[in-house]
């Protein structure tokens, strides 16, 4: 990708719009208050730094961009880009600082701050806004959605489960790859989900975790049926199809998931799993995970747990909730959103069942049903350095929408009363600035591992 073309059209004329005495522009990224969640889990910048900012601008890039942008009807700053190649070898003269990835902070806290390091490139920090903001808002939003679902599930498990240490990481499974717009989106969102969970079917997510965050294996899955592999046997051989799953993939300690609603879920559970194949399920020494995949998500999976309990039996844990025979569990992967997860868990526990009996698979609700406004992400300029060496605070404060007011002056983030708070950098004093340099003039300064990020997000650092 030609980084000169990784921007918005109007950015090409901005080099001539700043005051002539400008030597540097500082800008920052935040999730503005008023979005879906009060806190944001910051994640994903490192992928952008490694994949895109490491690419040096070449003369061929300049020629390509010059032809395209000029034909597009806009001025092209050829002198500026040629100076970048001759003076900096094609590396972008930028300094970027950010909070440590995995930080969970209140909305309104600066996450990233950028400025140019060469006074001739004052126009560059905001030129890359399009690419930089996109690199932050999407994975951070997915990571935040997944993080909040973890809170919902944790609360239910704390209430109804004796020991959920090994259960929690696999309660939300990523089914979103096919609903993403591209392989890259699936990778970005897939690894963002893996900050809080370890269950995924999005292979690109574990690839990205390995490539960008030094995690050899970030997530896990199990053999599972889809409708094509079940309906290929025909309705009259449905029991054979299910039996084949147990024989092929069942075994000591193993799990196998079987979608069971191809024709009639209730009949499949009561007659096939409950009668024809009951002994095979009980004797395989592993766990059958029944997957309902249609109907009201607030009703059908709970009915499935009820039916399996009546057939295979259950125990009652120390907290007074019923736990299915270890041979069977349920996963709900249709119509799953953070809201429906809470409804299902509340209703399940209302019927006396522990939350550990069910897992969830989320697809579009995790990777696709988000946008920049979900958490009100924005990147805004906050300071200007003049040629005399003086920093001046700049900001916007629209009277027609006070919620879009931006922060003035270069920012720092400090701990105050136990919470991260934004303060002007000039007022930092002796306090520790949580914003850390992560990139400067083509060099990566921080290289977080997924293991470190997970610890930080879980509040264990």
């Amino acid at each position: 990708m030609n980084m000169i073309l990784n921007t918005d059209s109007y950015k090409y004329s901005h080099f001539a719009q700043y005051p002539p005495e400008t030597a540097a522009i500082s800008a920052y990224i935040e999730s503005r208050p008023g979005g879906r969640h009060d806190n944001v889990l910051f994640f994903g910048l490192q992928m952008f730094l490694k994949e895109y900012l490491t690419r040096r601008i070449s003369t061929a890039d300049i020629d390509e961009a010059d032809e395209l942008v000029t034909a597009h009807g806009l001025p092209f700053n050829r002198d500026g880009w040629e100076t970048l190649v001759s003076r900096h070898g094609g590396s972008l003269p930028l300094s970027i600082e950010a909070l440590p990835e995995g930080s969970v902070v209140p909305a309104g806290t600066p996450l990233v701050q950028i400025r140019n390091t060469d006074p001739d490139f004052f126009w560059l920090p905001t030129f890359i806004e399009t690419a930089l903001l996109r690199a932050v808002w999407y994975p951070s939003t997915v990571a935040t959605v997944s993080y909040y679902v973890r809170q919902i599930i944790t609360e239910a498990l704390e209430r109804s489960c004796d020991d959920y240490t090994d259960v929690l990481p696999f309660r939300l499974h990523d089914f979103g790859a096919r609903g993403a717009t591209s392989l890259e989106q699936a990778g970005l969102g897939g690894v963002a989900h893996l900050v809080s969970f370890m269950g995924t079917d999005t292979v690109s997510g574990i690839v990205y975790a390995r490539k960008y965050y030094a995690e050899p294996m970030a997530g896990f899955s199990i053999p599972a049926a889809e409708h094509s592999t079940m309906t290929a046997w025909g309705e009259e051989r449905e029991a054979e199809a299910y039996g084949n799953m147990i024989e092929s993939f069942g075994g000591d300690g193993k799990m196998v998931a079987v979608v069971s609603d191809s024709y009639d879920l209730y009949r499949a559970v009561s007659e096939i799993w409950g009668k024809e194949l009951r002994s095979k399920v009980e004797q395989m020494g592993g766990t059958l995970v029944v997957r309902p995949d249609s109907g009201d998500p607030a009703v059908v999976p709970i009915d499935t747990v009820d039916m399996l309990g009546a057939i295979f039996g259950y125990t009652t844990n120390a907290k007074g909730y019923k736990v299915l025979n270890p041979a069977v569990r349920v996963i709900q992967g249709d119509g799953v959103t953070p809201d429906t997860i809470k409804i299902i868990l509340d209703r399940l526990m209302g019927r006396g069942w522990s939350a550990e009996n069910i897992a969830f698979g989320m697809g579009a609700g995790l990777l696709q049903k988000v946008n920049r406004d979900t958490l009100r992400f924005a990147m805004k300029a906050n300071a200007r350095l003049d040629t005399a060496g003086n920093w001046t605070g700049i900001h916007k404060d629209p009277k027609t929408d006070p919620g879009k007011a931006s922060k003035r002056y270069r920012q720092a983030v400090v701990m105050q009363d136990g919470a991260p708070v934004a303060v002007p950098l000039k007022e930092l004093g002796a306090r520790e600035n949580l914003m850390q340099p992560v990139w400067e003039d083509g060099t990566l300064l921080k290289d977080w591992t997924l293991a470190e990020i997970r610890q930080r997000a879980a509040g264990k650092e």
Side-chain angles (χ1 to χ4, degrees):
M1 176 63 192
N2 185 342
M3 276 297 294
I4 305 176
L5 300 176
N6 194 356
T7 191
D8 290 318
S9 298
Y10 76 146
K11 294 288 187 180
Y12 293 109
S13 64
H14 291 179
F15 73 97
Q17 296 183 25
Y18 287 101
E21 67 278 9
T22 301
I25 291 291
S26 170
Y28 75 102
I29 294 175
E30 70 174 339
S31 164
R32 294 179 292 197
R36 183 182 299 172
H37 299 295
D38 294 332
N39 293 284
V40 59
L41 197 168
F42 171 53
F43 178 75
L45 173 64
Q46 186 166 294
M47 293 186 281
F48 174 75
L49 298 179
K50 289 183 174 182
E51 182 65 28
Y52 288 94
L53 284 203
T54 54
R55 303 185 185 190
R56 298 190 174 206
I57 303 299
S58 67
T59 300
D61 291 331
I62 297 172
D63 290 342
E64 178 189 29
D66 192 355
E67 188 278 326
L68 186 71
V69 173
T70 303
H72 188 43
L74 292 164
F76 184 68
N77 185 14
R78 188 176 184 100
D79 288 344
W81 290 109
E82 288 182 337
T83 300
L84 186 144
V85 170
S86 62
R87 187 182 300 171
H88 298 285
S91 292
L92 303 186
L94 295 170
S95 175
I96 301 175
E97 54 186 349
L99 294 179
E101 295 203 23
S103 297
V104 180
V105 298
T109 306
L111 305 173
V112 179
Q113 191 162 234
I114 182 173
R115 63 178 175 84
N116 56 293
T117 57
D118 181 330
D120 286 336
F121 294 90
F122 56 85
W123 47 270
L124 190 55
T126 54
F127 181 87
I128 73 164
E129 174 190 0
T130 306
L132 182 61
L133 181 58
R134 183 171 55 216
V136 171
W137 82 253
Y138 176 69
S140 293
T141 301
V142 174
T144 301
V145 171
S146 187
Y147 172 82
Y148 271 92
V149 171
R150 184 182 172 101
Q151 309 314 304
I152 292 170
I153 295 175
T154 299
E155 182 180 339
L157 289 171
E158 286 179 343
R159 174 180 157 189
S160 66
C161 181
D162 289 342
D163 181 5
Y164 59 86
T165 305
D166 296 330
V167 174
L168 177 58
F170 298 96
R171 291 303 92 182
L172 182 65
H173 204 87
D174 175 9
F175 285 171
R178 71 188 59 187
T181 59
S182 67
L183 178 66
E184 183 176 38
Q185 184 192 1
L188 294 170
V191 69
H193 163 72
L194 292 171
V195 172
S196 293
F197 290 96
M198 297 180 71
T200 185
D201 259 36
T202 298
V203 176
S204 53
I206 60 176
V207 171
Y208 275 43
R210 177 175 291 189
K211 181 177 181 180
Y212 299 113
Y213 292 100
E215 179 54 53
M217 184 44 60
F220 302 88
S221 189
I222 61 173
E226 70 174 21
H227 288 106
S228 73
T229 61
M230 296 297 94
T231 57
W233 294 71
E235 186 172 2
E236 69 283 357
R237 299 174 67 195
E238 186 177 12
E240 284 186 67
Y242 294 170
N244 179 64
M245 292 295 295
I246 299 298
E247 293 163 8
S248 297
F249 305 110
D252 291 342
K254 296 179 180 178
M255 303 183 77
V256 55
V258 183
V259 62
S260 302
D261 74 325
S262 296
Y263 309 105
D264 183 341
L265 171 73
Y266 289 85
R267 182 184 64 81
V269 174
S270 63
E271 299 300 317
I272 300 177
W273 293 124
K275 293 179 181 177
E276 293 183 59
L277 299 177
R278 177 175 175 177
S279 62
K280 282 191 176 183
V281 172
E282 292 175 328
Q283 294 169 16
M284 75 171 179
T287 302
L288 163 69
V289 183
V290 176
R291 178 161 71 95
D293 200 48
S294 54
D296 188 340
V299 174
V300 175
I302 302 169
D303 286 348
T304 304
V305 172
D306 275 337
M307 288 188 291
L308 291 173
I311 296 165
F312 293 95
Y314 58 86
T315 57
T316 301
N317 64 23
K319 294 184 177 178
Y321 287 87
K322 296 179 287 186
V323 181
L324 285 169
N325 181 324
V328 289
R329 288 291 185 269
V330 174
I331 184 168
Q332 175 64 20
D334 179 56
V336 175
T337 67
D339 291 337
T340 58
I341 287 175
K342 189 173 189 321
I343 291 170
I344 292 168
L345 290 173
D346 285 345
R347 291 186 177 182
L348 189 68
M349 291 184 295
R351 290 200 194 178
W353 291 104
S354 171
E356 67 196 273
N357 292 296
I358 192 167
F360 300 94
M362 190 187 299
L366 181 63
L367 300 191
Q368 186 63 22
K369 291 184 180 179
V370 296
N371 56 50
R372 186 167 68 90
D373 292 330
T374 301
L375 296 178
R376 303 193 72 233
F377 266 94
M379 177 171 162
K380 296 298 174 186
N382 59 0
R384 182 178 71 89
L385 179 69
D386 62 30
T387 50
N390 301 308
W391 281 102
T392 303
I394 58 179
H395 73 300
K396 61 179 286 189
D397 189 12
K399 299 299 182 288
T400 50
D401 190 349
K404 288 188 173 183
S406 63
K407 291 176 170 59
R408 191 177 184 185
Y409 304 113
R410 296 179 66 208
Q411 297 290 300
V413 178
V414 300
M415 292 299 293
Q416 183 172 301
D417 298 326
V421 175
V423 298
L425 182 60
K426 63 180 183 176
E427 298 175 10
L428 178 63
R431 292 176 291 182
E432 179 188 6
N433 185 1
L434 301 182
M435 299 274 278
Q436 302 179 17
V438 297
W439 180 271
E440 185 157 338
D441 298 339
T443 301
L444 183 71
L445 304 178
K446 289 288 184 181
D447 195 355
W448 305 112
T449 67
L450 187 62
E452 292 172 320
I453 292 167
R454 282 171 162 169
Q455 288 288 104
R456 192 173 294 122
K460 297 179 179 179
E461 186 183 64

